[in-house]
Amino acid sequence: MKKHKLFRIVLLALLWLSLTPAAHSQLRIEIIGGGANQVPIAIAPFRAEASLPQQVTNIIAADLHRSGLFKIVDSGGLTSVPAEPADVQFPMWTARGAEALAIGVVSPLPNGYWDVRFRLLDVLKQTQLTGFAYQVTQQQLRNTAHKIADAIYAQLTGDIGVFSTRITYVAKQGARFELQIADADGYGAQTVLASNEPIISPAWSPDGTRLAYVSFERKKPIVYIQSLLTGNRTVAANFKGSNSAPAWSPDGKRLAVVLTKDGNSQIYLINADGGNVTRLTNTSTIDTEPNFSPDGQWVIFTSDRGGSPQIYRVPVTGGAPERLTFEGSYNVTPRYAPDGKSFVFVQRNGGRFNVATQDFVSRQLQLLTDDGIDESPSFAPNGRTILYATVVKGRGILAAVSSDGRVRQRFSAEIGDVREPAWGPILKGQ
Amino acid sequence: MRKLIFSMVALLVLAGCASQDAKEQPGAAVEDRKPVSGEVKPAAKPATAPKASPVESKPIGSQPLGAAALKDPNNILSKRSIFYDYDSAVVKDEFKPLVTAHARYLTQNRAARMVIQGNTDERGSREYNLALGQRRADSVKQMMLLLGVQESQVETVSFGEEKPRAAGKDEASFSENRRSDIVYAGE
């Protein structure tokens, strides 16, 4: 247990050291719409949290609110802050409209750590639903708040929470491009690569420790893989012509990439170290935007072999691809849902580009957005939200829509444009 | 784009000079046989000696052209851009003389190397646009190979929608960005 914790602390410290804080460290988030049935929950202030540099309950409440699935009930004006279930005046919380209540305690530990513990209570039944205790450093407090929000979310919705995950995106300001990573709430942006040439197509390794991306710094598109722990990077693909569209296999050992070394844009599989190049598609047309299925058996991709860009699927071992989209003349950027049962993509309708999902079995298509120039959709690792890039009033921003289309969010940077988002994985063992 | 405008301006100046000369030979056709070498031109006019015909109709002879031709605004070789229709990589007829001229230059200068950079307008998927830009650059290369250029002399790359020349969101800007550019090694 101690060794594991030490490793985690060292891991996080390395992560912090190898990245530089971005000049503007926060994306602003705005929420539109809400879920069908929002759970009313109160987050009581945690005892002694005022002594912390950050109020964990503010972060927990903001996470739950941002999901669109919770109604945050007023938890102010308490004469005393409850630490244990016995302290809780349940009728008062019922009167305020809460069905769930989170309480907690924060205590300093002798070695500079903090003990943060919480309990989630069912207000009507007056019972405890779940509770956890964490011993963390001051630096880990924000992440701990996200983990508490994840635990509450999982308990009350039945789904895995993604509040403690990270996202990556490209920020552009004038002629300056920065590949950044940030917490899923937009906080704490750090720069992975700064460049005077474009950066596109970032892709998280399945274990969340590396990013593959395409950089034009040498005046042509080249695929790099960069460690988020050490900052070191390697060239994954730099063949004659263009190299792009990296996608990781679920075991993290291989990538699918698009190369033009043999003429036109075709999909190849390569090892993460760049070796063992094998060709997957074989046409004289455009095959691009590969994406692996969660079980690693299939690659979904965009091809205009039929005359217009449509979405196809091919076994990872090769063979004849199967066409999946038949509506409209432009369907691109397919990405598998984490459960493998559907995929998200972009469909052009007139002058608009909309985010849509399609189920593999029923082939049913659902349009999730209908009013913009949307691109680059990316599923959250619990499959409940899709992050994508769009343009509002001439500025590039990120947006998110729930997989049922009900809840929408917008993330904007203070200045400049943001594009090319990718949602990071849930990290095991944290 | 700047080179195109410069060539056109040069063209207009040349055309202007030619016609002005014809008009400003006072009496030359009637009674005065004084040779007109430019002194009748008003001082304000640029004293450019009239040259041969405009760029388009200049015959491309069989003499090998040196590198100076690539930068000569009167030479088609200084034109470096091919423009495309939406979603298309087809080289339109109006650009075939340009491609042919560059192909001829490469066949006459076997040590010369070029990169053709393909671009698209900003609409649609970035990766699909990267591939479309590549297809545009390759369509130019294919034409050159058919004209006898060696494979090793031409590399093609794509910038997709990532390095637009025109920043607007209107069709004029989009049109300008749907483009292949020819860049010679060392430029």
Side-chain angles (χ1 to χ4, degrees):
Chain A
M1 177 68 174
K2 272 190 189 155
K3 269 192 200 155
H4 184 60
K5 193 189 297 182
L6 184 64
F7 173 73
R8 259 192 356 229
I9 291 158
V10 169
L11 194 74
L12 286 171
L14 278 178
L15 214 65
W16 182 71
L17 286 172
S18 70
L19 301 163
T20 53
H24 302 276
S25 63
Q26 181 153 10
L27 297 178
R28 228 173 325 113
I29 303 182
E30 176 200 338
I31 301 134
I32 305 156
N37 296 305
Q38 295 184 318
V39 176
I41 182 171
I43 317 289
F46 287 7
R47 184 165 294 181
E49 76 167 341
S51 58
L52 293 173
Q54 324 223 24
Q55 308 301 291
V56 294
T57 53
N58 289 344
I59 297 167
I60 297 166
D63 280 350
L64 295 174
H65 170 61
R66 202 174 62 251
S67 71
L69 302 182
F70 296 87
K71 181 177 180 306
I72 306 299
V73 170
D74 172 40
S75 61
L78 302 179
T79 47
S80 67
V81 168
E84 302 291 332
D87 303 335
V88 175
Q89 297 173 15
F90 288 100
M92 181 197 75
W93 293 105
T94 306
R96 291 192 182 200
E99 288 176 14
L101 169 68
I103 63 174
V105 180
V106 169
S107 339
L109 294 171
N111 51 357
Y113 278 57
W114 294 86
D115 181 295
V116 180
R117 55 188 60 207
F118 86 100
R119 298 173 195 272
L120 179 69
L121 309 174
D122 183 319
V123 172
L124 301 171
K125 294 180 187 162
Q126 304 190 6
T127 54
Q128 175 168 323
L129 295 169
T130 188
F132 287 101
Y134 308 86
Q135 288 83 45
V136 296
T137 63
Q138 192 157 299
Q139 255 172 44
Q140 293 170 302
L141 283 173
R142 203 170 172 97
N143 187 253
T144 304
H146 290 313
K147 289 215 277 246
I148 294 171
D150 280 338
I152 294 171
Y153 180 94
Q155 183 67 41
L156 296 178
T157 69
D159 285 327
I160 300 171
V162 293
F163 301 118
S164 50
T165 57
R166 293 190 299 180
I167 61 174
T168 185
Y169 51 87
V170 177
K172 175 179 184 288
Q173 213 177 302
R176 191 94 179 131
F177 298 85
E178 287 194 12
L179 177 63
Q180 296 183 358
I181 58 175
D183 295 346
D185 65 356
Y187 193 88
Q190 294 175 310
T191 302
V192 173
L193 177 73
S195 176
N196 292 323
E197 297 291 344
I199 304 164
I200 63 171
S201 304
W204 290 88
S205 64
D207 67 1
T209 65
R210 290 169 291 175
L211 284 182
Y213 56 84
V214 180
S215 167
F216 287 75
E217 63 198 74
R218 280 152 68 173
K219 307 293 194 254
K220 57 174 278 196
I222 293 170
V223 178
Y224 293 88
I225 292 174
Q226 184 163 338
S227 165
L228 297 174
L229 303 179
T230 64
N232 292 337
R233 69 174 185 176
T234 56
V235 171
N238 181 10
F239 297 91
K240 184 179 180 192
S242 298
N243 309 266
S244 69
W248 293 85
S249 63
D251 65 5
K253 294 180 180 166
R254 289 196 298 178
L255 291 96
V257 288
V258 175
L259 308 175
T260 65
K261 67 183 187 69
D262 296 319
N264 52 318
S265 302
Q266 291 288 284
I267 297 169
Y268 297 73
L269 300 177
I270 61 173
N271 287 352
D273 64 6
N276 193 20
V277 182
T278 57
R279 187 164 173 168
L280 183 61
T281 59
N282 211 327
T283 65
S284 56
T285 59
I286 288 173
D287 295 323
T288 185
E289 300 188 303
N291 180 256
F292 278 84
S293 62
D295 65 4
Q297 298 303 302
W298 300 89
V299 172
I300 198 171
F301 63 98
T302 304
S303 174
D304 64 8
R305 60 186 62 199
S308 65
Q310 301 289 343
I311 291 160
Y312 293 74
R313 180 174 70 157
V314 67
V316 73
T317 47
E322 171 199 1
R323 179 167 166 173
L324 298 176
T325 55
F326 296 90
E327 289 180 35
S329 63
Y330 192 99
N331 293 293
V332 295
T333 325
R335 274 89 188 260
Y336 267 91
D339 68 4
K341 295 180 180 168
S342 64
F343 62 96
V344 68
F345 62 103
V346 173
Q347 181 176 75
R348 185 177 71 193
N349 284 307
R352 299 185 311 280
F353 293 84
N354 302 136
V355 175
T357 54
Q358 181 166 313
D359 185 276
F360 278 105
V361 170
S362 73
R363 306 254 160 158
Q364 193 174 347
L365 190 155
Q366 182 183 9
L367 265 187
L368 296 180
T369 70
D370 59 6
D371 57 359
I373 304 171
D374 303 333
E375 57 181 37
S376 196
S378 173
F379 265 104
N382 67 358
R384 303 309 273 167
T385 310
I386 291 153
L387 183 63
Y388 62 96
T390 187
V391 179
V392 171
K393 295 195 175 111
R395 280 188 65 213
I397 65 167
L398 302 186
V401 60
S402 57
S403 51
D404 62 6
R406 287 181 189 275
V407 184
R408 296 218 201 174
Q409 298 151 20
R410 287 182 181 170
F411 301 55
S412 52
E414 288 159 29
I415 43 178
D417 293 323
V418 185
R419 72 274 289 268
E420 295 291 271
W423 205 308
I426 292 168
L427 300 182
K428 299 177 182 42
Q430 260 199 319
Chain B
M1 191 61 177
R2 244 179 270 129
K3 280 183 187 147
L4 188 66
I5 290 171
F6 182 70
S7 311
M8 286 172 64
V9 167
L11 178 65
L12 289 170
V13 168
L14 295 175
C17 286
S19 56
Q20 287 288 54
D21 279 343
K23 285 188 191 123
E24 294 202 22
Q25 295 175 24
V30 179
E31 61 207 20
D32 191 351
R33 288 177 203 264
K34 209 184 297 182
V36 178
S37 56
E39 67 265 25
V40 296
K41 292 200 193 94
K45 280 203 62 187
T48 312
K51 284 206 173 127
S53 38
V55 173
E56 274 77 5
S57 60
K58 179 172 182 169
I60 299 172
S62 55
Q63 304 161 326
L65 301 165
L70 294 176
K71 302 277 198 263
D72 183 354
N74 294 318
N75 194 310
I76 195 173
L77 291 176
S78 66
K79 288 193 189 173
R80 303 298 185 80
S81 297
I82 297 108
F83 297 89
Y84 299 87
D85 292 337
Y86 188 45
D87 276 350
S88 170
V90 170
V91 177
K92 296 187 281 191
D93 286 345
E94 68 195 87
F95 297 105
K96 289 182 178 168
L98 189 156
V99 176
T100 304
H102 284 285
R104 184 184 295 271
Y105 179 87
L106 286 176
T107 56
Q108 291 173 349
N109 296 273
R110 288 294 182 191
R113 297 276 182 275
M114 68 159 56
V115 175
I116 305 173
Q117 302 165 342
N119 298 273
T120 67
D121 69 39
E122 65 180 34
R123 294 170 291 183
S125 141
R126 285 177 196 273
E127 283 286 354
Y128 183 76
N129 280 339
L130 195 62
L132 181 56
Q134 186 71 41
R135 181 184 269 167
R136 285 175 174 158
D138 283 336
S139 68
V140 176
K141 176 176 177 174
Q142 279 309 309
M143 201 173 283
M144 292 196 178
L145 295 182
L146 288 172
L147 292 169
V149 173
Q150 283 169 346
E151 165 88 43
S152 58
Q153 289 183 279
V154 183
E155 187 182 356
T156 51
V157 296
S158 176
F159 295 143
E161 63 179 86
E162 308 305 323
K163 295 180 74 71
R165 203 153 66 179
K169 313 284 182 191
D170 52 1
E171 181 52 37
S173 297
F174 291 159
S175 298
E176 180 161 352
N177 292 329
R178 294 194 296 267
R179 188 186 77 255
S180 287
D181 290 327
I182 290 169
V183 179
Y184 284 85
E187 287 184 337

